[in-house]
Amino acid sequence: MIVKQWTKEERYRVLRSAEELRELFERIIKSGYRQHYHIQSVTGLLNDPNGFVRYDGLWHLFYQWCPWGAVHGLKYWYHTVSRDLVTWQNRGVCIRPDTEYDNKGAYSGSALPMGEHLYLYYTGNHRDEDWTRRPYTCLVDLKNGKDAQKLPPLYGAHPDYTEHQRDPKVIRHPNTGKYYIILGAQTKDKKGCCIIYTSDSPTEGWRFAGQLKVPGFEDFGDMWECPSIETISGYDVLIFCPQHLKLHGRGDAVHHNGYLLGHMDWETLTFTPDNTNFHVLDFGFDAYAAECAANPDDQNKATLVAWMGLPDASYPTDEEEWSGCLTLPRELRVRDRRLIQQPLDALRALRGKKIDPESTDLLPRVCEMELICRGGDLSVTLFAKADGTGGLTVAYDDSRREITVDRSGMERRFNTELGEQRTRPLPKGLFHLRFFIDRSSVEIFVNDGDAVFSSRVFPTEGESRLRISGDASLHLWELNRAVEETFTID
Ligand code: FRU
């Protein structure tokens, strides 16, 4: 693949006018890999979801955006909104890196709705002339969900940690009313951790409270990105992305997104995990930087969305000068001391024509598929060639009680050095599979949300067949479009 080589000047170029992007936009929307129902980069590159929240009857979701191409450079917050978490509209750029505090990027963060204010907390990625990084925790007041006004930064970098301090997640303690910000950080001896700030006000008076103690996880990767503590069904869940760490069953991948279930003591700043298991959030190839929104109607649930991509990875659309999409939003609950993730019920509204699988072996390019499995081995191949070879295979081995997703059979292979198979044990066997297939991704929900595999996949024209062997009944629907391609930049 021929991919543009970028200079630092090109990557950090400031966007002066939307018109600078029109030609790129017109070109990329012709790509056959543009998604039909996943949030994707309007132009250039999308990475983390940010500030996911329901405010004033609307769901707001922002993403890290580098306008110029499939490259990490100057980051903006791009804003999308939805009434139902299914169909999404582009609102345009929300946070621009235009002050000295965020001169080299408005990095990831979170949202806090308060009356007419929607506060957005983010990391201002400041760099000096000599390229030394100085992160600030910055604040935007998005009044009425529309007019972004920057307030003074809350604090700068803490001297006891390296320059890697970022991704503020703001939390209001339900009993004490105190505010906390949890940040991903790196100790001077290169250990990943979280640090915590606190205040009585969301907009001022913030002070350093200390480092989060997580017994048993003092030496677990060299940086923790995008941390958050969610409370679901009375459990506290610490979600974070440890970096530069190998995990069993994850091939040669070194950046992960997972969680610990346990109890958070805000007095002593200690998160005590239930047990020593770091649970991987998503067993697929491409999922990172998950962000949760509280469910204002039901404290037993939250909604999670992640970047369907990985840091330091490349994708086939890089040569088309765009990259990145988000996963579907998923309903999170706790069952048997684990998080379960299910597609939202509202997604059923996207179902179009029901396909009779007896009548054709052609797999629609945008579809949902459900399999009720009746036991024994099962193999499902998506995107096989007409002669039955190739494709992405999902295989359940009943004797080993394991499910494996293998994308090595695809013609367009990528990130192969991270491994092309992902396996997850299923001690209770396999009884249910639900697939959401878009033009360049597959999300597989196993056993009613017990495990999820999210992966990008880039089928060519000839990779169009569905092959299934094993005992299962199959339902297949075409899905309608839920994201529009609008050139909304300002
Ligand atoms: C995670 C991350 C964050 C950072 C952002 C920059 O993917 O590296 O830590 O805030 O992306 O875009």
Side-chain angles (χ1 to χ4, degrees), residues 256-322:
H256 312 275
N257 200 175
Y259 69 92
L260 303 169
L261 212 72
H263 174 71
M264 178 64 197
D265 183 338
W266 291 99
E267 286 287 311
T268 61
L269 302 185
T270 308
F271 187 95
T272 310
D274 246 14
N275 54 42
T276 53
N277 293 341
F278 173 78
H279 301 288
V280 170
L281 257 180
D282 189 309
F283 292 86
F285 299 93
D286 304 291
Y288 196 73
E291 160 92 357
C292 290
N295 185 325
D297 306 323
D298 185 347
Q299 293 187 352
N300 293 322
K301 294 178 183 169
T303 312
L304 176 143
V305 67
W307 170 28
M308 220 184 316
L310 286 181
D312 307 331
S314 44
Y315 292 88
T317 59
D318 289 8
E319 61 183 352
E320 299 175 355
E321 295 191 65
W322 69 278

Side-chain angles (χ1 to χ4, degrees), residues 30 89 95 159 243 270 340 366 370 392 394 427 443 448:
K30 298 195 184 106
Q89 269 99 46
I95 307 181
Q243 296 201 300
T270 308
I340 61 159
V366 181
E370 186 175 19
L392 176 143
V394 181
E443 284 153 287
D448 283 337

Side-chain angles (χ1 to χ4, degrees), residues 45 47-48 50 64-65 72-73 75 106-109 123 166-168 223-226 241 243 288-289 307 310-311:
L45 174 138
N47 57 305
D48 313 354
N50 295 151
Q64 285 284 287
W65 177 52
H72 291 272
K75 296 287 171 71
Y107 277 12
S108 287
T123 296
R166 55 177 173 267
D167 309 337
M223 166 67 189
W224 291 2
E225 292 192 317
C226 304
C241 299
Q243 296 201 300
Y288 196 73
W307 170 28
L310 286 181

Side-chain angles (χ1 to χ4, degrees), residues 471-485:
D471 191 6
S473 54
L474 169 67
H475 303 274
L476 184 58
W477 297 265
E478 287 179 356
L479 291 184
N480 296 322
R481 196 180 249 282
V483 293
E484 297 299 331
E485 300 271 33

Side-chain angles (χ1 to χ4, degrees), residues 18-42:
E19 286 313 307
E20 295 175 272
L21 298 173
R22 190 176 288 278
E23 183 274 328
L24 180 60
F25 172 80
E26 301 291 350
R27 183 151 42 86
I28 66 172
I29 60 170
K30 298 195 184 106
S31 166
Y33 294 126
R34 294 291 285 175
Q35 302 277 52
H36 281 201
Y37 62 98
H38 287 84
I39 294 172
Q40 62 195 329
S41 58
V42 58

Side-chain angles (χ1 to χ4, degrees), residues 180-456:
Y180 294 93
I181 284 177
I182 164 164
L183 285 179
Q186 181 181 59
T187 62
K188 290 243 158 105
D189 58 350
K190 303 275 159 69
K191 307 273 190 265
C193 67
C194 293
I195 54 178
I196 297 187
Y197 285 77
T198 188
S199 174
D200 294 325
S201 149
T203 56
E204 57 192 15
W206 287 88
R207 60 178 182 80
F208 182 68
Q211 184 174 323
L212 178 69
K213 296 181 255 324
V214 190
F217 290 85
E218 292 79 5
D219 187 2
F220 196 68
D222 68 1
M223 166 67 189
W224 291 2
E225 292 192 317
C226 304
S228 93
I229 295 176
E230 307 294 330
T231 302
I232 307 172
S233 303
Y235 283 94
D236 294 323
V237 191
L238 173 63
I239 303 180
F240 61 107
C241 299
Q243 296 201 300
H244 298 111
L245 173 78
K246 287 268 180 85
L247 289 179
H248 180 71
R250 304 294 303 150
D252 283 326
V254 291
H255 304 319
H256 312 275
N257 200 175
Y259 69 92
L260 303 169
L261 212 72
H263 174 71
M264 178 64 197
D265 183 338
W266 291 99
E267 286 287 311
T268 61
L269 302 185
T270 308
F271 187 95
T272 310
D274 246 14
N275 54 42
T276 53
N277 293 341
F278 173 78
H279 301 288
V280 170
L281 257 180
D282 189 309
F283 292 86
F285 299 93
D286 304 291
Y288 196 73
E291 160 92 357
C292 290
N295 185 325
D297 306 323
D298 185 347
Q299 293 187 352
N300 293 322
K301 294 178 183 169
T303 312
L304 176 143
V305 67
W307 170 28
M308 220 184 316
L310 286 181
D312 307 331
S314 44
Y315 292 88
T317 59
D318 289 8
E319 61 183 352
E320 299 175 355
E321 295 191 65
W322 69 278
S323 118
C325 68
L326 301 182
T327 64
L328 287 173
R330 300 160 186 177
E331 184 182 280
L332 273 190
R333 275 185 289 152
V334 176
R335 188 173 67 201
D336 299 337
R337 301 172 102 78
R338 295 280 295 277
L339 282 184
I340 61 159
Q341 301 173 58
Q342 282 180 310
L344 299 173
D345 281 344
L347 277 171
R348 291 178 201 271
L350 281 187
R351 286 182 182 167
K353 195 166 102 197
K354 187 155 191 200
I355 311 272
D356 174 8
E358 300 292 319
S359 66
T360 172
D361 70 346
L362 277 179
L363 181 70
R365 285 292 302 274
V366 181
C367 64
E368 178 193 340
M369 188 164 88
E370 186 175 19
L371 279 120
I372 319 248
C373 315
R374 286 188 282 262
D377 291 353
L378 184 82
S379 163
V380 180
T381 302
L382 313 176
F383 317 116
K385 294 187 197 140
D387 65 5
T389 62
L392 176 143
T393 301
V394 181
Y396 171 64
D397 180 330
D398 197 39
S399 61
R400 301 171 75 104
R401 304 237 146 180
E402 268 180 9
I403 189 162
T404 300
V405 177
D406 182 342
R407 66 176 176 186
S408 64
M410 296 298 297
E411 246 171 62
R412 305 198 80 164
R413 293 163 69 184
F414 54 99
N415 299 331
T416 52
E417 68 287 359
L418 304 180
E420 294 178 281
Q421 286 90 29
R422 293 285 183 266
T423 295
R424 160 74 148 65
L426 294 181
K428 293 187 184 147
L430 175 69
F431 55 88
H432 189 247
L433 285 171
R434 216 161 144 201
F435 293 74
F436 285 86
I437 300 170
D438 204 342
R439 297 196 72 99
S440 53
S441 67
V442 177
E443 284 153 287
I444 308 164
F445 293 83
V446 182
N447 286 354
D448 283 337
D450 178 41
V452 189
F453 292 76
S454 302
S455 306
R456 300 302 304 274

